[in-house]
Amino acid sequence: MDRFQAMRIFVRVVEAQSFAAAARELGASPPAVTRAVAFLEDITGARLLTRTTRSVSLTEPGAHYYDDCKRLLGDLEEAEAAAGGAYARPSGTLTITAPVLFGQMYVFPVMTEFLDQYPEMRGRVLLFDRIVNIVEEGIDLALRIGHMADTSMSAIKVGTVRRIICGSPDYFDRHGRPQVPADIGMHRVVASTGSSAPLDWQFGGDQKTSLSVSARLQTNSIEAARKAAIDGWGLVRLLSYQAIPSIEAGSLEVVLRDYEPEPIPIHIVHPEGRHAPAKVRAFIDLAVDRLRADKRIN
């Protein structure tokens, strides 16, 4: 049996979590799929999958092997694409990851324009409010907000965002506007954070300061925190792009502008040390033009 084909079948079984579903997707018979996985278990000498009547799950060796298969198959796909001219013309599937709201507001429009320009291309946009290892996950590009610490990646700056403090006009009419950071202690705060650790808000201006903030309400949902502020419950700190629609609509106002910390960069990130295929280069060219021209993030 062809080892690479067996690896492809194994990957589909894992991702479909079913031998039968993988067989349907691949247009193969269930026995052929079972034989492919058994073949890999024979040559590795390890049980790769745990099978029950309802599901299929990876063993610990299987999880490591799955990651290796994804990497090897990705490298093989790139080699085949290079031989077929994909480095000259975008082709295949382009996979991108970005923060959830930023991806919805800024990445999706660029992706749809890209797909319109290259009808033979397919796109995947994976939205997570966490850092994803794009090499291990087989992702082509990432949009990242924050200072770059990973020097193994190529990073192209496309904009900046600011940390801002907002409240509704109704809330400020009832409780007044904070004039200096210390005034926040007299206001209710809803914090968008997934951590229970103390909130230390950094401030800039003439004197950079750090303030330990007591939030009466915490949530891991940016949208829920923004909605609470719009409803007049209290103050919220957001990244500027997260608040822009509400600011433009007049449902949120920014306070303490003179005390905002330094802007935070936005980068397009992709693996360094590899000759980027045409699909990656073409998307970067389009995204850099569109994002740098967007005044909301520049």
Side-chain angles (χ1 to χ4, degrees):
M1 179 176 290
D2 179 81
R3 187 174 299 189
F4 281 112
Q5 181 59 19
M7 287 180 176
R8 291 188 182 97
I9 292 171
F10 169 68
V11 167
R12 289 309 309 136
V13 170
V14 172
E15 293 178 350
Q17 297 183 323
S18 165
F19 279 77
R24 286 193 299 272
E25 291 177 14
L26 295 168
S29 67
V33 171
T34 301
R35 284 196 301 272
V37 174
F39 168 72
L40 294 177
E41 289 182 331
D42 286 341
I43 62 175
T44 60
R47 179 172 289 278
L48 303 176
L49 297 170
T50 299
R51 308 160 178 83
T52 68
T53 56
R54 293 187 177 182
S55 65
V56 174
S57 59
L58 285 164
T59 63
E60 184 175 351
H64 292 298
Y65 191 67
Y66 168 75
D67 291 338
D68 290 339
C69 285
K70 290 279 286 186
R71 175 177 53 79
L72 289 169
L73 291 171
D75 290 344
L76 178 63
E77 181 181 345
E78 281 197 6
E80 292 171 343
Y87 281 84
R89 174 74 181 171
S91 63
T93 299
L94 182 72
T95 303
I96 303 171
T97 184
V100 175
L101 187 56
F102 188 87
Q104 293 169 354
M105 293 175 65
Y106 299 99
V107 178
F108 250 90
V110 179
M111 176 62 91
T112 54
E113 182 179 353
F114 176 74
L115 296 178
D116 286 341
Q117 289 185 12
Y118 302 100
E120 66 275 26
M121 284 292 304
R122 296 180 301 278
R124 296 174 68 224
V125 180
L126 308 177
L127 304 180
F128 306 104
D129 285 326
R130 59 180 175 82
I131 298 296
V132 177
N133 188 315
I134 62 176
V135 175
E136 291 183 0
E137 298 289 338
I139 295 170
D140 297 301
L141 298 164
L143 271 291
R144 298 232 170 116
I145 299 173
H147 296 281
M148 295 301 300
D150 188 349
T151 56
S152 68
M153 296 285 172
S154 294
I156 303 166
K157 186 178 176 181
V158 294
T160 60
V161 293
R162 303 165 5 249
R163 290 198 182 277
I164 59 176
I165 297 174
C166 303
S168 72
D170 175 65
Y171 176 84
F172 291 133
D173 288 344
R174 289 183 288 115
H175 300 283
R177 291 166 173 76
Q179 301 300 312
V180 295
D183 291 347
I184 292 174
M186 298 183 290
H187 291 264
R188 293 193 303 192
V189 172
V190 52
S192 57
T193 174
S195 170
S196 60
L199 299 175
D200 291 321
W201 287 5
Q202 305 298 317
F203 293 91
D206 294 336
Q207 293 183 337
K208 293 181 172 61
T209 59
S210 177
L211 182 68
S212 181
V213 175
S214 176
R216 288 191 59 198
L217 177 60
Q218 295 190 30
T219 174
N220 66 343
S221 168
I222 293 168
E223 179 60 22
R226 186 181 67 88
K227 183 64 165 54
I230 290 172
D231 290 343
W233 193 86
L235 303 180
V236 65
R237 187 176 70 159
L238 300 169
L239 294 177
S240 51
Y241 80 88
Q242 297 166 345
I244 280 174
S246 303
I247 294 170
E248 292 176 343
S251 54
L252 284 179
E253 293 181 4
V254 182
V255 294
L256 299 174
R257 289 181 182 272
D258 293 340
Y259 298 93
E260 290 175 6
E262 290 296 316
I264 303 167
I266 307 167
H267 292 95
I268 297 176
V269 177
H270 64 98
E272 196 175 55
R274 297 162 58 186
H275 179 61
K279 63 181 182 180
V280 171
R281 300 197 309 271
F283 183 86
I284 288 175
D285 289 344
L286 178 63
V288 167
D289 285 345
R290 296 297 180 266
L291 295 177
R292 286 181 177 173
D294 194 318
K295 294 181 179 180
R296 296 172 298 176
I297 55 173
N298 283 281

